[in-house]
């Protein structure tokens, strides 16, 4: 197999071939998120509130497993570009081993902390009960998630985007099909309610992992995962964590943000908690495809950086940014043209729809400019600069938005929280672009 297509093929068709399958997959994943919430909302508004409160911890599980897998991706792509295949195999093997341990620990910890976590945000016994019932099943699949994410990034590091697309789509489609069947009880299936939604999610994730394993053993690929490569003395695991921890924090920070904003908004009305949960489901339809661009871009930048093709690194960044901006333009148009329809997918409460419509229009002001931060952060991860990438995410999810939201909410209540989103995106974009340009010029 020849991996040199990453540094020899024309940049525009190369990015399209790497990113489009991932964009399509991520759009389907975001569609699943929306469909899942749509069916849960049919159970009751309390069920939707429970889902919104559990979401930060679900995102934390994804953050830890995906973040570490991004470290695996960067290490493999770099060593393949530098023609160091053995080191790439060591990175893949150690990565799979450690991420499996992460999955086991997350299962135990998340199930234990959920009752106390839910009580921090609501005193409604029904909402707490629904949240516990949902989370007990969802977090039982944490090991499956961690192994699946690891295989996903291993295949992506070699440019095998079609395989990852097939596996991701299969899992998402399985989820979408099983959701109404298991929630409402169709045919031979009993009516399971919110537990059905959780189980459908876990079955879809399991199906994706099975497909990854089948592809690993039936296709000719560069990377080999074997016990002999579990050589801890070479300290590859230190490199994995040096990239994976910042990358994981990048993904985990929205969980912290959502929890803090839920705390601020709950003081005014539970309606705003539902609106925030609905918004994060909807925004995934934009940011997950943008993340698909990042996933296609990251191994390209890592490979070309390892091969010392620095001009190509800069061009790949620029093309990726243009595509991300296009996605955000489309999202902004949707949020301003049909906000009532979008929020109406998650609730039938007229007051909630009205509040959500206002929120979408305000928050979407920052969509287009946010593309700069998203692409800059992903590009820095691709060249192994996890620290600067983390700084960008800290600005977007903690250092700027939380104090701005808190201050504005004192004067404008929930409206102030919505304004904090676009203000933060404008400030973060300026800082992240300066940071990326300085680092890439120095390199």
């Amino acid at each position: 197999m020849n991996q040199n297509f990453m540094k020899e093929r024309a940049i525009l068709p190369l990015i399209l071939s790497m990113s489009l399958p991932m964009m399509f997959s991520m759009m389907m994943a975001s569609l699943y998120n929306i469909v899942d919430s749509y069916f849960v909302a049919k159970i009751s508004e309390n069920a939707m509130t429970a889902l919104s409160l559990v979401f930060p911890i679900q995102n934390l599980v994804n953050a830890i497993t995906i973040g570490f897998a991004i470290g695996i991706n960067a290490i493999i792509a770099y060593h393949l570009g530098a023609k160091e295949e053995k080191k790439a195999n060591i990175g893949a093997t150690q990565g799979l081993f450690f991420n499996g341990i992460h999955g086991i620990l997350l299962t135990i910890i998340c199930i234990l902390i959920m009752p106390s976590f839910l009580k921090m945000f609501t005193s409604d016994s029904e909402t707490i009960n629904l949240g516990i019932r949902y989370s007990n099943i969802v977090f039982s699949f944490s090991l499956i998630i961690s192994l699946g994410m690891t295989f996903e990034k291993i295949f992506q590091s070699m440019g095998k985007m079609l395989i990852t697309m097939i596996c991701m789509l299969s899992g998402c489609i399985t989820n979408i099909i099983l959701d109404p069947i298991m929630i409402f009880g169709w045919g031979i299936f009993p009516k399971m309610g919110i537990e059905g939604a959780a189980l459908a999610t876990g079955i879809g994730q399991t199906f994706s992992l099975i497909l990854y394993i089948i592809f690993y053993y039936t296709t000719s690929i560069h990377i080999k995962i074997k016990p002999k490569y579990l050589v801890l003395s070479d300290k590859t695991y230190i490199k994995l964590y040096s990239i994976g921890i910042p990358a994981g924090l990048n993904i985990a920070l929205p969980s912290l943000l959502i929890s803090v904003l839920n705390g601020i908004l709950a003081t005014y009305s539970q309606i705003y908690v539902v609106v925030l949960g609905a918004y994060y489901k909807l925004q995934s339809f934009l940011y997950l495809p943008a993340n698909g661009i990042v996933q296609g871009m990251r191994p390209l930048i890592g490979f070309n950086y390892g091969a010392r093709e620095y001009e190509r690194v800069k061009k790949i960044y620029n093309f990726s940014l243009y595509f991300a901006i296009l996605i955000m333009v489309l999202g902004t148009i949707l949020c301003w043209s049909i906000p009532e329809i979008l929020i109406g997918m998650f609730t039938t409460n007229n007051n909630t729809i009205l509040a959500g419509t206002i929120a979408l229009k305000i928050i979407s002001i920052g969509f287009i400019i946010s593309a700069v931060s998203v692409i800059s952060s992903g590009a820095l991860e691709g060249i192994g600069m996890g620290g600067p990438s983390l700084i960008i995410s800290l600005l977007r999810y903690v250092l700027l938005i939380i104090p701005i939201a808190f201050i504005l909410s004192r004067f404008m209540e929930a409206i102030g929280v919505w304004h904090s989103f676009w203000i933060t995106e404008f400030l973060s974009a300026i800082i992240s672009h300066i940071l990326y340009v300085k680092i890439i010029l120095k390199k």
Side-chain angles (χ1 to χ4, degrees):
M1 289 179 60
N2 182 10
Q3 295 291 130
N4 286 333
F5 73 92
M6 291 195 194
K7 71 173 184 177
E8 294 173 352
R9 193 174 177 188
I11 290 175
L12 180 57
L14 178 62
I15 292 177
L16 289 174
S17 67
M18 294 284 282
S19 295
L20 285 179
M22 298 317 304
M23 287 173 61
F24 183 66
S25 299
M26 300 308 276
M27 285 182 69
M28 286 298 298
S30 62
L31 178 62
Y32 158 69
N33 286 335
I34 293 171
V35 170
D36 185 53
S37 297
Y38 172 80
F39 286 121
V40 169
K42 295 294 183 184
I43 300 172
S44 68
E45 189 154 298
N46 279 342
M48 183 61 195
T49 303
L51 210 64
S52 298
L53 293 176
V54 173
F55 177 75
I57 304 300
Q58 280 185 280
N59 192 58
L60 181 63
V61 172
N62 289 333
I64 294 171
T65 55
I66 296 173
F68 190 74
I70 287 172
I72 300 169
N73 180 291
I75 292 295
I76 294 173
Y78 177 84
H79 286 305
L80 288 178
K83 301 187 182 302
E84 298 170 337
E85 193 170 311
K86 181 180 178 181
K87 290 185 177 180
N89 291 337
I90 291 173
T93 303
Q94 290 189 12
L96 186 67
F97 174 76
F98 283 109
N99 224 8
I101 294 175
H102 300 158
I104 295 171
L105 293 175
L106 286 168
T107 298
I108 299 169
I109 294 170
C110 290
I111 290 176
L112 289 176
I113 69 169
M114 279 313 298
S116 299
F117 179 81
L118 290 168
K119 290 175 184 176
M120 292 169 58
F121 301 98
T122 181
S123 58
D124 185 271
S125 59
E126 183 184 358
T127 301
I128 294 171
N129 180 46
L130 287 167
I132 293 172
R133 285 158 52 191
Y134 178 80
S135 59
N136 283 346
I137 296 175
V138 160
F139 295 132
S140 297
F141 289 88
S142 296
L143 176 60
I144 300 295
I145 295 171
S146 64
L147 297 179
M149 292 301 178
T150 301
F151 275 108
E152 175 187 307
K153 299 306 177 192
I154 289 173
F155 280 107
Q156 287 176 5
S157 68
M158 298 178 287
K160 298 292 185 182
M161 300 305 187
L162 184 60
I163 289 177
T164 55
M165 183 184 77
I166 292 171
C167 294
M168 289 175 66
L169 284 180
S170 299
C172 289
I173 292 171
T174 301
N175 288 340
I176 292 171
I177 293 172
L178 290 179
D179 255 336
I181 294 175
M182 304 189 83
I183 291 173
F184 305 115
W186 294 0
I188 61 171
F189 291 89
K191 182 178 179 180
M192 299 178 66
I194 201 165
E195 288 97 333
L199 191 56
T201 298
I203 293 172
Q205 292 161 344
T206 303
F207 187 52
S208 289
L209 174 60
I210 292 171
L211 286 181
Y212 276 124
I213 294 172
I214 291 172
F215 277 117
Y216 174 77
Y217 284 107
T218 58
T219 57
S220 178
I221 59 174
H222 245 36
I223 297 301
K224 302 299 178 186
I225 300 171
K226 296 181 178 180
K228 70 177 182 180
Y229 293 125
L230 196 62
V231 186
L232 301 184
S233 59
D234 81 329
K235 297 184 178 179
T236 297
Y237 64 92
I238 296 177
K239 296 178 184 177
L240 290 171
Y241 279 104
S242 69
I243 302 171
I245 290 175
L249 288 172
N250 283 346
I251 306 170
L253 289 174
S255 296
L256 172 63
L257 174 62
I258 294 168
S259 296
V260 172
L261 294 185
N262 276 337
I264 295 173
L265 293 169
T267 61
Y268 301 110
S269 173
Q270 281 292 117
I271 283 177
Y272 299 125
V273 174
V274 177
V275 168
L276 185 66
Y279 161 70
Y280 268 98
K281 295 293 182 179
L282 289 170
Q283 62 96 40
S284 69
F285 202 68
L286 295 178
Y287 285 101
L288 284 180
N291 184 255
I293 295 174
V294 171
Q295 291 191 50
M297 172 193 70
R298 194 185 290 120
L300 293 177
I301 282 184
F303 188 96
N304 282 278
Y305 179 67
R308 301 181 183 275
E309 296 284 345
Y310 301 126
E311 279 301 315
R312 282 178 66 85
V313 169
K314 288 191 283 186
K315 290 178 181 178
I316 290 167
Y317 171 88
N318 289 334
F319 276 111
S320 300
L321 180 59
Y322 300 150
F323 287 131
I325 288 174
L326 178 60
I327 289 173
M328 295 304 170
V329 168
L330 295 174
T332 304
I333 292 171
L334 285 174
C335 286
W336 276 83
S337 57
I338 55 169
E340 298 90 351
I341 296 174
L342 295 175
I343 293 295
M345 291 191 294
F346 304 99
T347 180
T348 57
N349 185 310
N350 289 331
N351 291 331
T352 305
I353 293 173
L354 177 60
T357 297
I358 295 170
L360 278 186
K361 287 185 176 181
I362 295 173
I363 294 173
S364 62
I365 296 171
F367 281 172
I368 296 173
I369 194 67
S370 71
V372 177
S373 301
V374 171
I375 297 300
S376 296
S377 181
L380 289 167
E381 288 172 354
I383 62 173
M385 301 297 290
S389 174
L390 176 59
I391 291 173
I392 294 173
S393 292
L394 282 170
L395 290 170
R396 295 181 68 209
Y397 298 118
V398 180
L399 299 179
L400 291 176
I401 190 168
I402 290 178
I404 292 173
F406 180 78
I407 293 169
L408 291 182
S409 68
R410 301 301 97 178
F411 300 98
M412 306 167 67
E413 297 189 351
I415 299 295
V417 175
W418 311 142
H419 279 293
S420 69
F421 279 84
W422 70 264
I423 294 172
T424 297
E425 293 296 2
F426 273 86
L427 295 175
S428 299
I430 294 169
I431 298 170
S432 62
H433 184 67
I434 293 171
L435 190 63
Y436 173 77
V437 169
K438 280 193 173 185
I439 289 173
I440 209 70
L441 287 176
K442 183 179 178 181
K443 290 293 178 181

